[in-house]
């Protein structure tokens, strides 16, 4: 890049001299339209429970979700993402609860679409909330089976679409799942159901609090490296994204967020499609716990979100969504 001008006739501090001037030269900003709110739902009645490692985030029983959905809707948050905390007695090695039309995700989707039809609903397609081993796919002799898992995933996608889910989000990193799910949805006449592919999802150490929240945490820490990506790789992310676009993804997700800003930027530059980013539970926990302890100023949250916008993200899944939406709509 060519640099024009030089000190002392050029002083870049001049444009920073006052609040109004700084506002004029802002290159990026965050609006409520950029935010996706994750919601944890749990079995039972009349429950609003804390999640220990994620202060400020709650788990709701289905009868209690209206409170949070109404808030999101009032703040004009465009999309909520539903994640289930399945009781262990309903888990098995195939994750068959995923296909129960009365599981908590299905009940939640129906309820949201009935009471708040204007808000978008997204739900993961993956088996980890339902398997007793915590893996995203079917496990056979220590191997996560790809093609067998995809069959179940496409049934799960159809079921969620039937419940009224607007955005199906395959999050398990099996090969070929986007194409199969798109075809199956189209065959069942769900042509307008969108697919958000978790296209580049890394085998990350930042998912710990989430696994705690959905109860998929195992006694010894779980290793998903045979399907989620190696965090040493970036070209591989471009190949994953390219394949998913070809197979019919409407948007792609990069996950986690902050440690992967380079990936967000290069995916956006290479493919020019809507790129979403997931600021995951571990990122949230780091920031919120530091803020609560007085180590960081609370604007650290918004700073982290703007970094996603700078790198090219169209929208952000973040546990800060409600707080930030409140803050920026005032
Ligand atoms: C699983 C899934 C995970 C998250 C969203 N969907 C975790 C995992 O892969 O174990 C993580 C989200 C977070 O950490 O906030 N399909």
């Amino acid at each position: 890049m060519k640099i024009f001008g030089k000190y002392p006739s050029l002083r870049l501090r001049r444009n920073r001299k006052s609040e109004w001037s700084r506002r004029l030269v802002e290159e990026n900003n965050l609006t409520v339209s950029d935010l996706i709110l994750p919601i944890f739902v749990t079995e039972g009645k009349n429950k609003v429970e804390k999640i220990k490692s994620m202060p400020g985030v709650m788990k709701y029983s289905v009868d209690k979700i209206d409170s949070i959905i109404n808030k999101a809707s009032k703040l004009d948050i465009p999309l909520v993402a539903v994640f289930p905390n399945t009781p262990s007695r309903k888990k098995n090695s195939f994750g068959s609860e995923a296909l129960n039309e009365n599981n908590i995700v299905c009940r939640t989707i129906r309820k949201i679409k009935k009471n708040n039809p204007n808000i978008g609903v997204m739900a993961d397609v993956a088996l980890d909330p339902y398997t007793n081993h915590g893996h995203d796919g079917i496990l056979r002799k220590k191997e996560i089976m790809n093609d067998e898992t995809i069959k179940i995933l496409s049934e799960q996608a159809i079921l969620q679409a039937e419940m009224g889910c607007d955005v199906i989000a395959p999050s398990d990193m099996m090969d070929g799942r986007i194409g199969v799910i798109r075809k199956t949805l189209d065959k069942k006449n769900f042509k307008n159901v969108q697919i958000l592919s978790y296209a580049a999802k890394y085998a990350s150490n930042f998912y710990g609090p989430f696994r705690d929240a959905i109860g998929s945490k195992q006694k010894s820490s779980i290793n998903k490296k045979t399907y989620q990506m190696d965090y040493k790789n970036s070209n591989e992310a471009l190949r994953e994204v390219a394949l998913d676009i070809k197979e019919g993804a409407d948007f792609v997700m990069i996950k986690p967020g902050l440690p992967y800003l380079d990936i967000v930027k290069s995916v956006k530059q290479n493919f020019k499609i809507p790129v979403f980013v997931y600021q995951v539970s571990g990122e949230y926990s780091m920031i919120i716990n530091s803020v609560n302890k007085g180590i960081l100023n609370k604007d650290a949250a918004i700073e982290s979100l703007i970094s996603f916008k700078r790198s090219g993200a169209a929208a952000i899944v973040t546990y800060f969504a409600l707080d930030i939406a409140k803050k920026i709509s005032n």
Side-chain angles (χ1 to χ4, degrees), residues 40 54 83 124 126 128-129 134 136 171-172 198 201 206-211 214 216 224 228 255 278-282 319:
F40 293 111
M54 302 174 74
F83 297 101
D124 268 26
D128 59 309
D136 293 33
S171 67
D172 64 310
Y198 287 72
K201 174 170 178 180
F206 287 87
Y207 304 146
F210 176 93
R211 291 177 189 167
I214 68 161
S216 75
K224 298 192 174 184
Q228 299 179 350
K255 175 181 174 188
Y278 198 138
Q279 181 179 54
V280 301
S281 56
Y319 302 97

Side-chain angles (χ1 to χ4, degrees), residues 26-273:
E26 278 169 4
E27 297 177 42
N28 293 282
N29 224 325
L30 189 70
T31 73
V32 174
S33 310
D34 300 320
L35 301 172
I36 301 169
L37 172 70
I39 293 173
F40 293 111
V41 285
T42 188
E43 203 76 38
K45 279 215 167 86
N46 204 22
K47 283 195 202 156
V48 179
E49 294 173 348
K50 290 185 177 160
I51 298 164
K52 205 171 140 233
S53 49
M54 302 174 74
V57 178
M58 304 291 186
K59 281 190 274 209
Y60 301 81
S61 53
V62 180
D63 59 319
K64 289 300 222 178
I65 51 156
D66 277 348
S67 59
I68 184 166
I69 301 294
N70 290 342
K71 270 186 209 158
S73 161
K74 246 187 220 131
L75 287 161
D76 214 14
I77 289 178
L79 182 66
V80 296
V82 181
F83 297 101
N85 174 297
T86 310
S88 34
R89 67 189 151 80
K90 295 199 172 169
K91 295 184 181 184
N92 59 29
S93 61
F94 309 103
S96 52
E97 177 68 4
L99 303 182
N100 171 3
E101 65 173 2
N102 284 317
N103 70 26
I104 42 181
V105 165
C106 290
R107 275 157 44 210
T108 304
I109 298 171
R110 290 198 298 260
K111 182 149 199 211
I112 299 174
K113 285 281 105 176
K114 185 165 162 238
N115 297 345
N116 288 280
N118 291 333
I119 204 161
V121 177
M122 136 183 176
D124 268 26
V125 162
L127 299 181
D128 59 309
Y130 309 104
T131 53
N132 52 14
H133 42 71
H135 279 293
D136 293 33
I138 296 177
L139 186 64
R140 196 169 295 153
K141 290 189 190 142
K142 293 196 175 158
E143 189 183 337
I144 308 295
M145 307 301 286
N146 193 89
D147 303 4
E148 288 79 349
T149 298
I150 294 185
K151 269 197 208 115
I152 303 183
L153 296 181
S154 45
E155 289 176 46
Q156 189 184 14
I158 294 297
L159 176 63
Q160 291 175 175
E162 283 167 350
M163 299 298 121
C165 188
D166 302 288
V167 179
I168 296 290
S171 67
D172 64 310
M173 292 295 284
M174 297 299 130
D175 286 321
R177 79 236 194 268
I178 301 299
V180 175
I181 291 171
R182 182 72 272 162
K183 254 195 218 125
T184 320
L185 285 170
D186 287 355
K187 220 171 35 206
K188 298 269 176 176
N189 218 13
F190 289 115
K191 297 196 176 72
N192 286 325
V193 169
Q194 290 152 288
I195 296 181
L196 166 60
S197 171
Y198 287 72
K201 174 170 178 180
Y202 286 85
S204 170
N205 296 294
F206 287 87
Y207 304 146
F210 176 93
R211 291 177 189 167
D212 197 16
I214 68 161
S216 75
K217 204 166 212 156
Q218 305 296 303
K219 274 170 212 99
S220 54
S221 87
I222 190 168
N223 177 337
K224 298 192 174 184
K225 290 182 182 173
T226 70
Y227 44 108
Q228 299 179 350
M229 275 182 56
D230 185 341
Y231 50 72
K232 300 187 193 82
N233 297 349
S234 49
N235 287 330
E236 190 184 345
L238 299 180
R239 297 178 77 193
E240 284 285 0
V241 168
L243 286 169
D244 286 358
I245 295 172
K246 244 191 179 161
E247 290 176 30
D250 299 287
F251 354 67
V252 292
M253 181 101 86
I254 310 300
K255 175 181 174 188
L258 268 194
Y260 298 90
L261 290 178
D262 57 324
I263 309 297
V264 176
K265 187 165 188 173
S266 70
V267 166
K268 183 68 199 182
Q269 285 178 341
N270 277 287
F271 297 101
K272 321 286 181 203
I273 71 159

